[in-house]
Amino acid sequence: MAILQVSDIYKDFGRTQVLRGINFSLEQGQAIAIIGSSGSGKTTLLRCLNFLETPDRGRIQVNGETLFDADDPATQRESEVRKKRLHFGLVFQSFHLFPQYTALENVTLAPRLLAGERPDFKARRKELFAQIDAQGRVLLERMGLADRAGHYPHQLSGGQQQRVAIARALALKPDILCFDEPTSALDPELTGEVLKVIRSLAEQKTTMLIVTHEMAFARDVADQVIFMDGGVIVEQGAARQVIEHPREERTRQFLSRYAEN
């Protein structure tokens, strides 16, 4: 059974139709790359999946549980939506680290806040925080940042900040890790170090949705590629098939622009 099932998602902003009937599924341990021109709906789709935007129509299921159904108001209560966001980890284009916190504090902030909601928190506060800090250090080590735990964002390069953001997203152990063009704010030299981390996560069978403009990376790392245009999925299939031998003319036109650059 698919870990994520997205069914007939629509989203409008005023009179502008941004998503028009999006359907796809994601299997456990699979990485799907989502490609397309600016304005095709890629980021809005991720924001709907993370409940940062509310779809106008459709249904979102994770592990067989309906997290959102536009026809069921019970799935749209803010108290419920907050819990459901925990199924997804989101890495933004521009890092969004808290400047007043160190790398380790950025990674451990959300787990500490969640720990505070436990009924045994007062009795186990010191123990729980020690465990969270230890787990945060392990994540930073995985990102190649063990020696940067005490550094503040302004003391880190863009690539290092993005790797801290990835560690932060992983800290809550999400079912699905989502990336919204994670290298678009980086220069070419720093892009490689972030893509290397994502490649490593794919090799470890981390379940991921990756909005990216890196076509070679999508071809080599993703299991599936979705090409979006005008708010619809134009083509979906095995990564190499879509990138190297697209079936749809619109996909070929889009990819030809990258081949020319």
Side-chain angles (χ1 to χ4, degrees):
M1 184 174 66
I3 189 171
L4 172 67
Q5 186 72 48
V6 177
S7 305
D8 209 28
I9 293 294
Y10 283 77
K11 179 63 181 177
D12 297 344
F13 292 105
R15 296 183 178 181
T16 303
Q17 290 186 315
V18 181
L19 299 176
R20 299 185 291 150
I22 300 296
N23 294 276
F24 72 93
S25 61
L26 174 66
E27 301 293 328
Q28 178 78 43
Q30 187 180 51
I32 291 182
I34 304 174
I35 64 173
S37 302
S38 296
S40 61
K42 308 184 302 296
T43 293
T44 299
L45 175 58
L46 280 195
R47 290 179 64 84
C48 285
L49 294 178
N50 284 271
F51 303 102
L52 298 175
E53 301 287 352
T54 303
D56 299 315
R57 288 167 52 188
R59 187 170 66 252
I60 300 168
Q61 295 171 294
V62 173
N63 287 322
E65 176 190 359
T66 299
L67 301 190
F68 175 85
D69 187 335
D71 296 326
D72 183 0
T75 66
Q76 300 172 47
R77 298 191 191 105
E78 182 55 37
S79 59
E80 292 299 312
V81 167
R82 182 168 170 270
K83 296 175 187 175
K84 292 167 182 178
R85 286 194 182 112
L86 298 177
H87 290 282
F88 299 89
L90 179 57
V91 179
F92 299 91
Q93 296 180 28
S94 301
F95 326 138
H96 290 319
L97 298 180
F98 293 105
Q100 70 273 33
Y101 296 140
T102 65
L104 181 60
E105 289 168 342
N106 267 279
V107 172
T108 59
L109 178 61
R112 280 173 171 252
L113 291 173
L114 280 179
E117 298 177 2
R118 293 176 51 142
D120 61 349
F121 173 69
K122 288 185 178 179
R124 298 184 57 201
R125 181 180 185 276
K126 186 174 181 180
E127 174 193 354
L128 291 170
F129 280 6
Q131 290 174 355
I132 290 168
D133 283 355
Q135 292 163 359
R137 291 183 184 278
V138 168
L139 286 171
L140 287 174
E141 185 174 6
R142 283 179 65 188
M143 299 297 114
L145 296 170
D147 60 343
R148 297 290 190 271
H151 286 58
Y152 290 88
H154 75 272
Q155 298 173 307
L156 303 173
S157 70
Q160 290 170 338
Q161 290 184 61
Q162 191 61 295
R163 283 185 279 155
V164 172
I166 295 171
R168 179 178 62 184
L170 288 169
L172 292 176
K173 301 180 175 65
D175 294 304
I176 302 158
L177 188 58
C178 302
F179 295 88
D180 185 11
E181 299 204 11
T183 61
S184 64
L186 303 175
D187 61 41
E189 185 175 354
L190 299 177
T191 292
E193 64 186 59
V194 173
L195 294 182
K196 181 179 178 182
V197 167
I198 302 174
R199 186 185 298 269
S200 173
L201 292 171
E203 291 170 353
Q204 296 164 30
K205 296 301 179 183
T206 304
T207 308
M208 296 186 288
L209 285 172
I210 310 164
V211 170
T212 183
H213 59 273
E214 301 284 346
M215 296 303 119
F217 175 77
R219 178 197 63 203
D220 296 340
V221 173
D223 299 290
Q224 296 268 315
V225 164
I226 288 173
F227 170 60
M228 290 183 63
D229 185 57
V232 301
I233 293 177
V234 174
E235 186 165 349
Q236 177 178 0
R240 284 192 175 273
Q241 172 66 39
V242 173
I243 298 295
E244 296 180 351
H245 306 288
R247 297 185 301 271
E248 301 295 330
E249 178 59 28
R250 182 67 190 91
T251 315
R252 288 194 287 270
Q253 292 172 355
F254 170 77
L255 291 170
S256 68
R257 298 208 304 269
Y258 284 87
E260 293 167 1
N261 293 335

